[in-house]
Amino acid sequence: MKDKFFSIEDAISKLWDKLDGWMDAIILRLPNLVMAILIMIVFYFIARGVKKLLLKLLLPRIGQKSIQDIIAKIIFLSVLLIGFFIALGVLELNKVLTSILAGAGVVGLAVGLALQGTLSNTVGGLVLSFMPKININDYIETDDVKGFVSEISLRNIVLRRPDNNYTVVPNSKFVENSFTNYSISKRSRITVTCGVGYESSMQEVEDLVIRIISENFEQKKGESVEFFFTDFGDSSINFMTRFWIDMVKNKQEYAAKHKAMKLIKSEFDSKGINIPFPIRTLDFGKNKLQMAKNENED
């Protein structure tokens, strides 16, 4: 019983010695602990200041508000993380810091492999957000779809098509493929084609078309109406005319072509200029078309 009593007493003594050692270590490292806490507080306010500065000066270039907030939060957490690592260094917890970095590397690799597609779309969303060639409400056309940019998120881009339906395109596919943005340039050149009969005066047709287009479609400095005969067709001499219009979406192109075609047709009719169409003549020659008499008929 005496041995048991001394054994318990010895254990309590060792425990007390251990606690005493911890208290001494805490007291010795108390200045470092206070310094680490101050570092975290300072970096917290630095992170807030950097976040506000980004939101005020840099992030307004990004059209999507949700992406602005996400990027601001990433910057905020990054600055805090830097402060955390500095605080660990002040506390001389080098082994802990090494373990954290190693664990973060392993976790980051695993997450990257598991979410490869998602991360690809996220990076694509960031690229699209900073690209000066695409903004909200721009009219763009890809190989598969065309419409107005309605939303740019970290996963996809949403296009509102001319029929008022929405198409969602993953950012990775959108960034990798080519697209046309009609909203970047305010002026575009369009082409209208037609044909006239072989009996028509080619010079008269050229002068008439150039005059019609020039009077009804303003051509600004450095722009002009162009006219070219293209080929001798089966029933017509074909030509094309090119001219400039204000165009930031396809509807303006359709409207301009519609107007130009009506004007050309009206002027050709008034001048007696024929716009021929293919004619097929059936020649039976000496052959006679006969119908067999029904045997049931009297």
Side-chain angles (χ1 to χ4, degrees):
M1 185 68 180
K2 186 177 180 180
D3 293 339
K4 184 177 180 181
F5 174 77
F6 282 113
S7 176
I8 294 175
E9 187 180 44
D10 186 50
I12 293 175
S13 176
K14 290 181 179 180
L15 178 61
W16 180 256
D17 291 339
K18 177 68 72 174
L19 292 175
D20 187 54
W22 287 352
M23 290 297 296
D24 291 340
I26 292 174
I27 293 173
L28 290 175
R29 294 182 179 274
L30 188 60
N32 291 14
L33 180 61
V34 173
M35 182 62 67
I37 294 174
L38 289 176
I39 288 175
M40 289 301 300
I41 294 174
V42 170
F43 268 86
Y44 172 77
F45 286 104
I46 292 176
R48 286 186 60 183
V50 172
K51 179 181 177 180
K52 290 181 179 179
L53 183 63
L54 286 174
L55 288 173
K56 183 177 180 180
L57 300 178
L58 300 180
L59 295 182
R61 297 183 57 187
I62 305 175
Q64 193 65 20
K65 184 65 170 60
S66 60
I67 296 182
Q68 293 181 13
D69 295 336
I70 291 174
I71 295 177
K73 290 178 181 178
I74 291 174
I75 299 299
F76 178 81
L77 293 176
S78 299
V79 175
L80 279 183
L81 192 61
I82 293 173
F84 175 72
F85 286 141
I86 294 176
L88 288 179
V90 171
L91 292 173
E92 299 179 357
L93 299 176
N94 297 326
K95 292 183 178 180
V96 175
L97 179 61
T98 303
S99 300
I100 291 175
L101 292 175
V106 173
V107 172
L109 179 61
V111 171
L113 293 175
L115 303 177
Q116 184 175 1
T118 302
L119 291 177
S120 177
N121 288 327
T122 301
V123 174
L126 294 175
V127 171
L128 289 174
S129 299
F130 285 101
M131 284 179 63
K133 301 300 183 183
I134 181 170
N135 297 288
I136 300 297
N137 294 325
D138 282 358
Y139 187 82
I140 63 175
E141 179 179 356
T142 67
D143 294 337
D144 301 322
V145 66
K146 53 186 176 182
F148 296 92
V149 179
S150 175
E151 178 184 351
I152 301 175
S153 67
L154 290 179
R155 179 173 174 77
N156 49 53
I157 179 172
V158 180
L159 299 180
R160 179 173 59 84
R161 304 199 316 245
D163 58 7
N164 204 39
N165 290 315
Y166 289 82
T167 299
V168 179
V169 182
N171 289 330
S172 58
K173 293 184 179 181
F174 194 87
V175 172
E176 293 172 357
N177 297 325
S178 60
F179 65 91
T180 301
N181 189 341
Y182 291 95
S183 299
I184 295 178
S185 176
K186 303 302 180 183
R187 299 280 290 177
S188 297
R189 185 164 58 186
I190 64 172
T191 301
V192 174
T193 60
C194 189
V196 294
Y198 276 89
E199 73 282 358
S200 304
S201 170
M202 297 177 67
Q203 189 60 51
E204 180 184 4
V205 171
E206 180 179 353
D207 296 340
L208 182 60
V209 171
I210 291 177
R211 179 180 63 80
I212 295 170
I213 301 300
S214 300
E215 291 177 353
N216 292 275
F217 297 92
E218 180 185 3
Q219 303 299 290
K220 298 184 178 181
K221 184 178 180 181
E223 302 173 352
S224 62
V225 178
E226 297 179 343
F227 181 95
F228 302 99
F229 285 105
T230 56
D231 61 274
F232 292 102
D234 294 337
S235 57
S236 64
I237 302 175
N238 301 319
F239 68 85
M240 60 176 285
T241 180
R242 303 196 300 180
F243 55 96
W244 295 82
I245 62 169
D246 292 328
M247 178 179 166
V248 293
K249 52 186 177 181
N250 272 0
K251 182 179 179 180
Q252 293 171 294
E253 178 183 4
Y254 299 147
K257 287 186 175 181
H258 171 80
K259 179 179 178 181
M261 291 173 65
K262 289 177 65 176
L263 291 169
I264 291 173
K265 177 64 166 59
S266 177
E267 288 292 327
F268 280 7
D269 289 344
S270 64
K271 299 295 183 181
I273 298 176
N274 179 37
I275 302 178
F277 54 88
I279 298 176
R280 295 291 182 265
T281 303
L282 300 179
D283 185 3
F284 292 100
K286 296 181 179 180
N287 295 327
K288 295 182 179 180
L289 184 62
Q290 297 181 348
M291 298 181 62
K293 186 176 180 181
N294 194 326
E295 296 180 354
N296 296 328
E297 291 182 356
D298 295 333

